[in-house]
């Protein structure tokens, strides 16, 4: 392949491209069919799937509910990206980028749309005043790491994960490129978590809630079947943090919301009340 | 290559990997040598380079100065990433992730470190109360797009740009993968900017300041020599917006800060006062 390929002067789509998730990829944006989104009874309507980006928001909402914030009650509707739900007119109206998760907040007169998982975490932390320190320096440090995650995870998900787990064949150069970067990121987190209990410092924050579903799941062996390849056990401080975060009840609840795979006690396609989660976790 | 490669059970670094910028890539984090950072006379100390992520912050600071915010006066020190300046102990102390830009704010008793370009834009917008609407829905929409940019640009820079312009040879599969995504992003922006003057809506915001250095430069032919390949002229609304943003005096000033390439009137390795910029732009 690499010996003979010369890029054309002007790129044009030539069949599908992308391995396992090929049908999700298009060179254009926008809706492909008309369908409204469902709406439940709570003020917050989440449209999501339990990929790492989806887990972030469900975990955040469960953390807020654990603190007694009843305004954080929510309906979580399944967006099956393998079936193209993200290209419906309704979903595109909430997130024109056609990526989960997306949130509608009906608690004020005009509903507010929030998309991008990092933006949703910031929105909820400001709305309820939790999981982001008030002190400027501490708040800034937590936001440094929140933004770090949002820019780093594409190298893990769209880079390493794609080429290691989903591409149609194992391409050596991109696997090496994205593995090196993933290991650098893990080492960075390991150094940070050696001297700090949480990413932002002494307090659990939206930086941890954003990062755990990616790098926590990764070192716990839950992503891409890559634990041995990446030698995840060597990142001992990330391991310590990943297990501590997983032990939080809200994390155990949030991680299964909109999940359609795994063990029976991990599968909850839709969530409309706390009892929905209780029932599934009860199967463990 | 692709016919014979089988990933090892445990990945190990095997020589350099990465084409033009190979020496920047490592599987570990942290400082590689001891050196303090320089410090100028202003409260804000920027350590940067005029790549798109660096341009974001210099443009923001110039926009604030254009509004008369004297507290936004800054020294911009050059971090030459090709020479490994980002691995000094001083720089790593400000940004442990070893990426430009990084900011130190000495205006309060305890200095505050800010890293990740998106975090710096948010920090400055909140500090000075500009370029982010007060209204919740409008503020949220601007932040949706700010976070969109931070998660999208890695596909443009670390994906498309790397494989199209910097990789040691043109690998067909990754070029197709990241070109398709880049064109989808351009189409998304084009649709958004067809019905909105700016990304967040009617007001110029940090979403535009974050996005212009990447997608504005791209459609103006300033990134990766890829204008024809991506057919950037077809994104007419992105073109309209890119030119409008470029016409802002603060953008013309900020884009040359910490720049060491291009025309003579574009090169300003260090910026310590407005006069430094005036002198360079005067060569045009």
């Amino acid at each position: 392949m690499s010996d003979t390929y010369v890029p054309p002067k002007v790129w044009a789509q030539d069949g599908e491209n992308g391995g396992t998730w090929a049908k999700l990829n298009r060179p254009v944006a926008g809706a492909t069919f008309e369908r409204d989104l469902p709406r439940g009874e709570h003020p917050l309507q989440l449209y999501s799937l339990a990929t790492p980006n989806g887990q972030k928001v469900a975990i955040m909402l469960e953390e807020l509910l654990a603190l007694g914030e009843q305004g954080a009650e929510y309906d979580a509707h399944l967006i099956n990206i393998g079936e193209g739900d993200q290209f419906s007119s309704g979903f595109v109206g909430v997130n024109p980028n056609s990526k989960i998760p997306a949130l509608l907040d009906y608690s004020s007169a005009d509903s507010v749309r929030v998309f991008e998982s990092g933006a949703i975490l910031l929105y909820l932390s400001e709305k309820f005043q939790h999981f982001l320190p008030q002190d400027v320096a501490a708040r800034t440090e937590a936001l440094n790491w929140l933004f770090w995650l949002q820019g780093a995870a594409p190298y893990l998900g769209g880079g390493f994960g794609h080429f290691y787990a989903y591409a149609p064949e194992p391409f050596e150069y991109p696997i090496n490129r994205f593995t090196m970067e993933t290991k650098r990121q893990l080492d960075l987190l390991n150094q940070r978590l050696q001297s700090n209990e949480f990413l932002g410092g002494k307090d659990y924050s939206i930086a941890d809630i954003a990062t755990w579903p990616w790098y926590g799941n990764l070192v716990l062996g839950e992503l891409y079947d890559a634990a041995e390849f990446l030698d995840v056990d060597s990142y001992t401080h990330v391991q310590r943090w990943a297990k501590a975060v997983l032990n939080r009840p809200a994390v155990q609840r949030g991680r299964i919301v909109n999940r359609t795979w795994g063990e029976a006690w991990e599968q909850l396609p839709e969530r409309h009340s706390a009892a929905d989660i209780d029932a599934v976790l009860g199967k463990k």
Side-chain angles (χ1 to χ4, degrees), chain A:
Chain A
M1 171 192 83
S2 58
D3 291 342
T4 57
Y5 178 63
V6 177
K9 283 202 168 187
V10 181
W11 185 84
Q13 186 168 13
D14 180 19
E16 280 185 359
N17 177 276
T20 305
W21 300 100
K23 288 178 184 162
L24 281 64
N25 298 328
R26 302 185 302 153
V28 293
T32 58
F33 65 100
E34 290 290 317
R35 190 171 72 204
D36 292 341
L37 289 174
R39 179 177 169 182
E41 64 180 14
H42 300 301
L44 296 178
Q45 299 294 304
L46 176 63
Y47 303 93
S48 191
L49 183 70
T51 64
N53 287 332
Q55 285 183 322
K56 294 174 188 172
V57 177
I59 289 170
M60 178 68 173
L61 290 165
E62 292 296 328
E63 291 283 9
L64 292 166
L65 290 169
L67 291 177
E69 293 287 356
Q70 287 307 306
E73 266 296 350
Y74 66 106
D75 295 274
H77 306 277
L78 184 67
I79 300 296
N80 189 331
I81 61 174
E83 298 293 320
D85 291 349
Q86 69 274 33
F87 301 122
S88 76
S89 55
F91 189 83
V92 168
V94 183
N95 182 2
N97 192 40
S98 286
K99 305 282 183 185
I100 64 93
L103 181 77
L104 277 176
D105 182 353
Y106 288 97
S107 65
S108 49
D110 296 319
S111 66
V112 175
R113 76 177 191 184
V114 201
F115 61 88
E116 284 291 319
S117 55
I120 297 173
L121 293 181
L122 181 58
Y123 177 85
L124 292 171
S125 77
E126 294 190 333
K127 180 181 177 82
F128 294 101
Q129 297 284 301
H130 291 299
F131 304 117
L132 199 51
Q134 296 288 320
D135 169 72
V136 170
R139 181 174 191 275
T140 299
E141 186 69 9
L143 288 174
N144 291 343
W145 289 99
L146 174 68
F147 276 97
W148 172 82
L149 181 283
Q150 299 300 115
Y155 288 89
L156 172 53
F160 174 77
H162 177 79
F163 284 100
Y164 186 74
Y166 301 134
E169 49 185 306
F171 298 116
E172 182 171 9
Y173 178 87
I175 287 176
N176 274 329
R177 168 173 168 76
F178 292 112
T179 300
M180 174 141 39
E181 174 63 3
T182 297
K183 287 185 72 74
R184 187 190 70 82
Q185 294 173 347
L186 285 168
D187 190 48
L188 170 70
L189 291 174
N190 204 52
Q191 293 183 32
R192 175 69 185 166
L193 293 165
Q194 180 171 20
S195 48
N196 295 274
E197 185 174 358
F198 296 107
L199 276 176
K202 64 181 175 54
D203 297 319
Y204 178 72
S205 75
I206 53 175
D208 302 287
I209 294 173
T211 304
W212 184 87
W214 283 107
Y215 298 89
N217 276 326
L218 184 67
V219 301
L220 296 175
E222 295 277 327
L223 269 184
Y224 312 131
D225 199 15
E228 184 180 7
F229 185 68
L230 296 172
D231 191 17
V232 297
D233 289 342
S234 65
Y235 304 100
T236 54
H237 307 290
V238 185
Q239 290 281 353
R240 184 267 306 158
W241 164 87
K243 288 168 187 163
V245 173
L246 177 60
N247 277 335
R248 297 177 67 92
V251 174
Q252 298 196 18
R253 298 177 70 82
R255 66 180 283 282
I256 69 169
V257 172
N258 296 135
R259 183 161 167 151
T260 58
W261 60 92
E263 305 295 325
W265 56 269
E266 295 179 307
Q267 294 195 31
L268 180 60
E270 303 254 332
R271 184 272 189 208
H272 301 285
S273 72
D276 292 343
I277 297 179
D278 298 339
V280 172
L281 289 178
K283 298 177 185 173
K284 194 174 179 179

